[in-house]
């Protein structure tokens, strides 16, 4: 600046030209006509100069010393040729050890100047005739003791003058290239000048944040342009060197912004290649040597820089999986830069053929090479890492390798392929095929040995399926992204995992069948039918059964292997047999509810005892079978309620289980389709397949629901019968109306009902409460009818008792209706209808009942009124005979004595048989008395003889005239 007459600190006007920036304050002595337009404030000028000093790591003291010496050097030398050796020699002449406060900075500075001169002369070694002289001169300069202490000022001046003569000689030898402002010295020392300029350009980066520019970067670069004539820099060289500096800083910091600026400079450089400037011959004469793969090539400066950038891009892109992670998004820009530079023929003699269109054209061959080499390198890398773990089992190694290869495919699909397809549309296809081939070479020997669902197979085959799914997505992405293009190959060869997995999956499912059934039976045998908690009132065994089933289902779908309808059918078969077995075992201990009914007392006719002290007959009692009695003892009401809750829990869980299996099956089917495992070829076949699947679910779960519903119904009915006919036998059946109606009314029994129902409601789930209460209601009304018809010798009802009995029946109904908070009135009324009809029979005249009995006897042979076990009919012979037996009426008693020889009720013990010690619940054999009348010793006739007997009775009555008929 000083040599070319730039007045650094002149300030003549506050106004400045904003468009000219920093250089507006620098005024050339040759052009002082317009000083105002080029002025700039000294403060700002000094600020930028100081920034440059800091960036170049020059101390303030050295800066002041060099600046002062340079001004003196410039004042003594006429404006003309100037080069680096002259500047160094001029500074060595004017700066001494005494100018520095400390010796060390001076020694560093002097050493630097000596290195500069030595570098210049080494590069021009072939032009120096007396090399020994220059070496001696440089040695004296490097010897600090001799130079600073032993040599005088004149001696040092002589040494510097000798060196200057050599440098001037070299300058005259090089000649001119006709470039404006050239110093004629570049051709010899250009490599040093370039290094110096490159060092200067690196000053635009913030030393505290190397990925960013300093704020004064633009002014910094404008100031650097002042060095071009001294260093031999042209615009084209500047673009090349600045782009190279930016690129090197990008490589160092991975800052994407720097890459953007580097691309801009490279584009400027390449766009200038189409036209030669005056300095083209000079630039091409600047030879650089590039070493690559043990070979050495000569290139010009620009070619060397472009080649170096291209080489770096190629080396990274050939393994882009390693060098471009998801954290960086400059992969596309590096690929763009490589594609542009790849079109540059560095060895071509005629570079004018390069056009701007060619600069942006795609290079399919090289992009394909990038894909193939990078994918294979990524695969070999994970394969090598896997081989290092030699202790890893083969199956586990294949599974790990498959998962790692899938990660490569996913990165290729999501990160790289969208960028690569802009240059090479089939890039994803190439990557998918290559990965498939590389892994297939390792997989094939393993598949050939697959024979069972071993732990290895469970690891490898699902991983292979997931890998193939990922490769299929990668492969098909090419077609989706380029629908308008036609590709030579649209098929990806598959590993045929389903071919190997289908038979072994079926074998595995079949093996689970026996295991689950055995385990289900075992846990059910251990069940104590106690609630899990107050909130969970079902059995623990049901929870365990569903846990086992769900675990099996999870394992089934967790195999992540191709599945077909045969596998689903086998799985549903396991579920059906397991739950069906459990449901039947839950109900297997429930005996027929008719075992609970008390033995029917013998038929008697009403007659008051004449001699109260006479010994009465006791009803014989037959013991229940031991197994039945054991079941009845075991099946307490509380445990029956837990069983019932368990059945409800099973119904609920079956719905959840079915939904889960349907969802998992749908997901597995979609996954198989995406892997290409779909074997159905037409939409019609697919529809039929879906219908078959639906039929499987319906056949399995609907059948189980029906079984569970039937079990709930049986259990509810049994609970009702158990409560009324077993647990409340003494308090209800053998107490109601015993002796007389007035002394044994229903209101005395009602508290027992209330206590029993409260206890049951504490055990039963809320969903089932109404069903259980309805069952108890029905059993209670059946028990009421049983008292009316089978109450025994001590139950006799007069016409005056009917109203009280009606009141008791209404009281029983109201108890279950509970003022609208219990059972629906319509339901209770329907169940109580038969009891009301029986009471209506008691309210009839005795002769009317006898007539009805005779009519009913005539229908018996036709089968119209054939009596079924425990199913009563209002006007059948059995019901009518019992009504006559319990009527407190002499005419009825006479009729029964005359025609059926029935004993008097006063001949039998009044107490309940169950109250006597040593007696157990009644035997089923006693119920046979309910299907045949208690005749005389000659009795026990079949129903076929009843008609003859009633015809005889009718004839006798008509002849005697004791009865009249309407």
């Amino acid at each position: 600046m000083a040599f070319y007459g730039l007045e650094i600190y002149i300030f003549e006007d506050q106004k400045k030209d904003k468009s000219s920036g920093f250089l507006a304050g620098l005024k050339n002595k040759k052009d002082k006509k317009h000083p105002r337009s080029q002025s700039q404030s000294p403060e700002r000028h000094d600020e930028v100069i100081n920034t440059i000093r800091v960036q170049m790591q020059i101390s303030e003291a050295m800066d002041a010393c060099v600046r002062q010496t340079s001004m003196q050097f410039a004042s003594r030398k006429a404006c003309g040729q100037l080069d680096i050796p002259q500047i160094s020699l001029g500074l060595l002449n004017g700066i001494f050890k005494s100018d520095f406060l400390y010796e060390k900075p001076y020694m560093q500075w002097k050493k630097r100047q000596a290195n500069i001169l030595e570098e210049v002369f080494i590069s021009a070694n072939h032009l120096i005739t007396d090399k020994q002289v220059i070496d001696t001169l440089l040695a004296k300069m490097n010897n600090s003791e001799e130079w600073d202490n032993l040599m005088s000022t004149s001696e040092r001046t002589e040494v510097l003058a000798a060196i200057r003569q050599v440098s001037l000689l070299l300058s005259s030898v090089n000649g001119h290239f006709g470039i404006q402002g050239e110093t004629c010295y570049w051709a010899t020392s250009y490599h040093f000048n370039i290094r110096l300029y490159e060092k200067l350009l690196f000053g635009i980066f913030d030393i505290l944040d190397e990925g960013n520019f300093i704020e004064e970067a633009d002014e910094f670069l404008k100031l650097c342009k002042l060095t071009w004539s001294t260093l031999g820099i042209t615009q084209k060289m500047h673009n090349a060197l600045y782009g190279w500096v930016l690129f090197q800083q990008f490589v160092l910091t991975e800052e994407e912004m720097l890459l953007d600026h580097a691309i801009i400079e490279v584009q400027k450089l390449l766009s200038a290649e189409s036209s030669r400037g005056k300095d083209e011959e000079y630039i091409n004469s600047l030879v650089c040597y590039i070493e690559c793969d043990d070979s050495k090539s000569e290139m010009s400066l620009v070619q060397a820089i472009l080649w170096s950038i291209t080489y770096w891009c190629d080396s990274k892109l050939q393994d882009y999986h390693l060098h471009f992670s998801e954290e960086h998004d400059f992969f596309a820009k590096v690929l763009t830069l490589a594609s542009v530079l790849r079109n540059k023929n560095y060895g071509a003699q005629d570079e004018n053929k390069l056009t701007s269109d060619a600069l942006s054209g795609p290079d399919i061959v090289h992009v394909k090479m990038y894909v193939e080499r990078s994918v294979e390198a990524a695969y070999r890398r994970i394969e090598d890492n896997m081989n290092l773990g030699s202790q890893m089992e083969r199956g586990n190694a294949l599974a790990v390798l498959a998962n790692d290869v899938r990660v490569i495919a996913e990165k290729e699909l999501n990160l790289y392929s969208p960028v690569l397809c802009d240059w090479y549309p089939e890039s994803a296809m190439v990557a998918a095929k290559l990965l498939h081939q590389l892994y297939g070479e390792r997989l094939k020997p393993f598949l050939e040995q697959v024979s069972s669902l071993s732990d290895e197979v469970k690891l490898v085959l699902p991983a292979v399926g997931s890998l193939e799914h990922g490769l299929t997505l990668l492969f098909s992405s090419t077609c989706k992204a380029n629908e308008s293009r036609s590709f030579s190959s649209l098929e990806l060869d598959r590993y045929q995992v389903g071919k190997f997995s289908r038979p072994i999956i079926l074998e595995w499912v079949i093996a689970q069948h026996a295991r689950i059934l055995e385990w289900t039976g075992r846990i059910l045998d251990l069940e104590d039918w106690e609630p899990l908690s107050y909130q969970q009132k079902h059995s623990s065994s049901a929870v365990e059964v569903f846990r086992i089933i769900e675990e099996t289902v999870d394992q089934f779908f967790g195999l992540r292997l191709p599945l077909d309808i045969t596998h689903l059918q086998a799985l549903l078969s396991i579920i059906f047999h397991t739950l069906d077995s459990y449901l039947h075992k839950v109900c297997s201990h429930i005996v027929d509810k008719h075992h609970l009914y008390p033995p029917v007392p013998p038929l008697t006719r009403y007659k008051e005892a004449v001699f109260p002290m006479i010994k009465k007959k006791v009803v014989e009692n037959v013991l229940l079978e031991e197994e039945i009695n054991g079941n009845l003892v075991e099946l307490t009401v509380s445990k029956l309620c837990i069983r019932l809750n368990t059945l409800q829990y099973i119904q609920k869980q079956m719905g959840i289980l079915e939904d889960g299996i349907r969802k998992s099956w749908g997901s597995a089917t979609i996954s198989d389709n995406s892997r290409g495992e779909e074997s159905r070829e037409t939409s019609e076949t697919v529809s039929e397949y879906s219908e078959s699947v639906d039929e499987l679910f319906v056949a399995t779960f609907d059948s189980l629901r029906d079984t569970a519903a039937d079990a709930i119904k049986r259990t509810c009915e049994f609970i009702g019968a158990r409560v009324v006919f077993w647990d409340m036998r003494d308090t209800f059946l053998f107490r109601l109306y015993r002796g007389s109606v007035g002394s044994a009314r229903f209101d005395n029994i009602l508290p027992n009902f209330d206590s029993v129902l409260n206890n049951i409601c504490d055990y039963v789930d809320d969903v089932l409460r109404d069903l259980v209460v309805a069952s108890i209601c029905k059993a209670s009304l059946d028990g009421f009818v049983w008292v009316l018809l089978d109450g025994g010798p001590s139950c006799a009802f007069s016409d005056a008792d009917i109203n009280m009995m009606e009141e008791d029946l209404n009281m029983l109904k109201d108890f279950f209706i509970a003022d609208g908070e219990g059972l629906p009135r319509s339901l209770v009324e329907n169940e109580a209808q038969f009891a009301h009809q029986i009471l209506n029979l008691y309210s009839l005249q005795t002769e009317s009942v006898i007539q009805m009995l005779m009519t009913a006897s005539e229908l018996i042979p036709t089968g119209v009124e054939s009596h079924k076990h425990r199913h009563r009919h209002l006007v059948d012979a059995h019901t009518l005979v019992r009504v006559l037996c319990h009527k407190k009426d002499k005419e009825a008693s006479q009729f029964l004595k005359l025609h059926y020889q029935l004993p008097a009720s006063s001949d039998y013990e009044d107490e309940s048989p169950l109250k006597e010690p040593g007696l157990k619940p009644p035997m089923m054999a006693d119920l046979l008395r309910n299907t045949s009348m208690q005749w005389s010793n000659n009795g026990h006739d079949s129903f076929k003889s009843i008609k003859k007997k009633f015809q005889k009775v009718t004839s006798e009555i008509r002849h005697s005239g004791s009865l009249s008929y309407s």
Side-chain angles (χ1 to χ4, degrees), residues 542-719:
V543 176
E544 182 66 14
V545 166
F546 275 97
R547 188 195 65 78
I548 296 172
I549 292 175
E550 289 167 359
E551 183 181 89
T552 304
V553 172
D554 290 342
Q555 290 177 356
F556 177 79
F557 290 107
L559 296 173
R560 295 181 291 117
L561 294 173
L563 303 172
D564 58 25
I565 194 171
T566 305
H567 300 137
L568 179 63
Q569 186 177 14
L571 177 67
L572 294 180
S573 176
I574 290 179
I575 295 172
F576 176 81
H577 287 97
T578 300
L579 294 179
D580 186 67
S581 173
Y582 186 91
L583 289 171
H584 281 89
K585 286 187 177 181
V586 169
C587 299
S588 63
H589 296 292
I590 298 179
V591 300
D592 191 316
K593 67 178 181 179
H594 298 106
H595 288 284
L596 302 171
Y597 295 165
V600 180
L603 294 178
T604 63
R605 55 187 175 82
Y606 172 76
K607 182 180 180 183
E608 294 183 1
V610 178
F611 303 103
M613 298 304 294
I614 190 172
K615 185 176 181 181
K616 297 183 178 181
K617 298 179 182 179
V618 178
V619 177
E620 295 181 0
N621 187 57
V622 182
L623 298 179
L624 286 171
E625 297 178 8
E626 183 177 353
E627 180 180 356
I628 295 175
N629 187 66
N631 289 339
L632 291 175
V633 172
E634 177 67 22
L635 293 176
T636 62
V637 172
S638 62
K639 291 187 176 182
L640 285 170
C641 290
I642 301 304
R643 288 176 184 261
L644 191 61
N645 294 339
T646 300
L647 295 172
Q648 172 65 22
Y649 172 79
I650 291 174
Q651 278 195 324
K652 177 183 176 183
Q653 290 301 116
M654 280 194 298
I656 298 174
L657 179 64
E658 180 182 8
D659 292 342
I661 295 176
R662 282 183 178 272
K663 184 177 180 180
S664 298
W665 174 255
S667 300
T669 305
I670 292 174
S671 177
D672 290 346
N673 291 343
S674 65
R675 296 189 189 115
E677 295 289 343
E678 178 63 68
S679 61
R680 279 74 66 190
E681 298 180 353
T682 65
S683 59
E684 182 178 353
T685 306
V686 172
S687 176
E688 293 177 358
Y689 180 81
S690 300
E691 291 178 1
S692 299
V693 170
D694 290 337
E695 290 175 359
L696 274 179
F697 279 102
V698 170
T700 301
F701 288 98
D702 283 9
S703 177
L704 288 173
R705 289 188 184 95
D706 291 343
T707 302
D710 181 66
I712 289 175
K713 180 181 178 182
R714 283 186 58 197
T715 306
C716 285
E717 291 178 351
F718 187 80
I719 290 174

Side-chain angles (χ1 to χ4, degrees), residues 342-355:
R342 267 293 176 186
N343 288 280
K344 174 70 175 175
N345 185 2
Y346 301 113
Q349 298 297 321
D350 186 6
E351 296 182 357
N352 286 325
K353 295 181 180 180
L354 190 64
T355 64

Side-chain angles (χ1 to χ4, degrees), residues 231-255:
L231 299 177
I233 305 298
T234 65
Q235 181 67 52
K236 186 174 182 180
M237 291 175 65
H238 167 76
N239 291 338
L241 291 171
Y242 187 43
W244 177 237
V245 167
L246 290 168
F247 187 79
Q248 290 182 82
Q249 198 70 5
F250 156 72
V251 172
L252 177 65
T253 63
E254 294 188 342
E255 180 61 46

Side-chain angles (χ1 to χ4, degrees), residues 270-303:
L270 294 178
S271 64
E273 289 285 280
S274 59
S275 60
R276 288 182 178 273
K278 295 180 181 180
D279 58 348
E280 194 67 29
E281 182 182 353
Y282 156 65
I283 295 175
N284 291 334
S285 69
L286 304 181
V287 178
C288 294
Y289 295 94
I290 300 296
E291 293 185 6
C292 180
D293 299 330
D294 299 328
S295 63
K296 198 172 185 179
S297 303
E298 290 186 2
M299 295 183 184
S300 69
L301 174 64
V302 174
Q303 287 179 327

